[in-house]
Amino acid sequence: MSTPLLKVENSPFNAEQVALLNQLLGTLSAEQAQWLSGYLTAFQRVLQAGAVAPGGAAPAVVVPSVSAVQEDAGSGAGGAVGGGGPVTVLYGSQTGNAARLAQQLAKRAKAVGLSVAVHCMSEFKTSQLKKLANLLVVVSTHGEGEPPDKAKEFYDFLFSKRAPRLESLRYSVLALGDITYKQFCHTGRQIDLRLEELGAKRLRGRMDCDVDYREPADQWMAEVLAELTATKAPAKLALVGAGQAAGHGAAGHVCTGACGSQGQAGLVSLSLPAAPVFDAEEPVYDRSRPFSAEVIENYNLNGRGSDKETRYVKLLLEGSGIRFAPGDSLGIVPENHPSLVDDLISAMGWRPDEPVRVGKHDLELREALLQHYELTQLTRPLMEQLSEFSTDGLADMVARGDAEAMENYAKGRDVLDLVRDFGIRGVAANQFVPRLRKMPGRLYSISSSYAANPDEADLTIAAVRYQAHGRARYGVCSVYCAERVKPGDRVRVYPNENPNFRLPADPDAPMIMVGPGTGAAPFRAFLEEREELGATGKNWLFFGDRRFRTDFLYQTDWLRWRSSGLLTRIDVAFSRDTSQKVYVQHRMAERAREIYDWLQEGAYFYVCGDQKAMAPDVHAQLRAIVQQQGGLSGAAADDYLAELQRQNRYQRDVY
């Protein structure tokens, strides 16, 4: 086995430990490494639970032979395992994260001998729910508390009168979300509570994950698999400690970073082999490990006189190995505005060059705040954590549990407002900074085809600027790209696959694309791809923005493709050019018969853009078209659109 050598300077080990580890790691086979990973996972949980102090005597260990593990792992392919039957993994995913985690979970479960079936919620037959023995749910929350598009039918069934009693079911839920939204992890929370209401029993309490979900997801998977295999012998590793072991409480557990275990006395059991959930098949680059991409071009797509600024940013990905398909997005890990960082440092009385710990390394404070922490959005957990330093009202608000007051205060404010308004002073940087949320990446639809432009990626980024509470505010990433990133600079990026927003597999299939403003970005990639591959299917674009003269993004591309015949039709709506505002849904209404005819011919219907106003309006208009042109009732029109979604012919990428 070829293993990179550890170095003292980039690890938490001392020189003697590094030498011993390098001596061992260089001799391990892949099989031995996999076995060891399971041992260390369980041992870490005992350390976290206080069963053995670091550096103290190791707990008693019961370890099976590798042959016993392999024999046992292969014995449960078709029948009941773990004392409780096969495992079903259901996922509901909007941008692909939940789908990837579900597949990783299934792979890991199979490695420990479990019989596993994985289903997207839209493909799962709800009549089978009452027959399940063990259910693991991985689901994201979309927008302001909505289930993902492909989870909605299952979600509605679960909350209907048709949902069966589930007393024989064991389950657990991994909920993905963004803690800056009011309805954080709402879909996962509701499913968790509803399954309990129907009589099911939790294997492990729900885990609610913020955007930095890797570590809590890994912990949740390890714990549910430990529970599922706890009664299965001999393929388990038992660490018997004198103190607390990891438990499985009924209540949900919120993790916005690395999470500790909930306490419960007893035994920690992990089936082997237990490889890390994020294995070699995961992308090399992600939010915590971004690629440094060179900026080739960066300019404003809007014309002179526009009240908008939309940047065209072309990035060079050469040497990264990053590949993407039309519909995927690229994440950018931005930097905070230097003036905001400097004002915060000044308000807190810190030194810009004082060292703070970031992960395993010490960085200068200013660099850490610029690159690694979220400063522009306030969350309830952050306000609660910083309240202990407040001398002016924040602690009282938190003590009252006044969630509405905290939510109202957080709107349009940032960390600098918080320290100024609530008298947070005299706190050491090393006490304050670790409480901040890690800088999340911002995802942008890729507006170019990899097949047509290898090792490059085009992004379309609308700069966000506004006034609130007496100060100028801005989108962290969009203004970073608009004002401080120049050609020749490098930005930190990572790929984000979106399997729910894809071109038709059939190159002859027609497409209708609705993408106002920056929502047109993925459709530029769609058409570039179809042009490159010589696809013959018809293509129809609905585009909208404010003014024809200044805001017709990618006008030359659309007109070139219209001239060549690749773009069969284009309908535009410029809302500020007419006395009455006209939007894309109004153009759809004018073309109702043609849209319905295209759908009847097998067309795919795509929507990309604003999820608060545009997407619901477009959906309502599409429903009206189907109902009127098809002579259907409202319920039948809903069924028609649901069937389009099941066939992947109605896809949305809305944000």
Side-chain angles (χ1 to χ4, degrees), residues 35 152 185 248 349 504 531:
W35 188 98
K152 192 174 188 307
C185 287
H248 314 289
E531 181 179 47

Side-chain angles (χ1 to χ4, degrees), residues 121-137:
M121 288 180 179
S122 65
E123 299 168 357
F124 178 70
K125 294 182 179 179
T126 53
S127 61
Q128 299 300 306
L129 185 60
K130 62 185 176 184
K131 302 177 183 179
L132 302 183
N134 299 294
L135 173 63
L136 302 178
V137 176

Side-chain angles (χ1 to χ4, degrees), residues 20 78 162 216 394 403 543 654:
L20 290 170
R162 295 180 294 131
L394 181 58
F543 175 82
V654 296

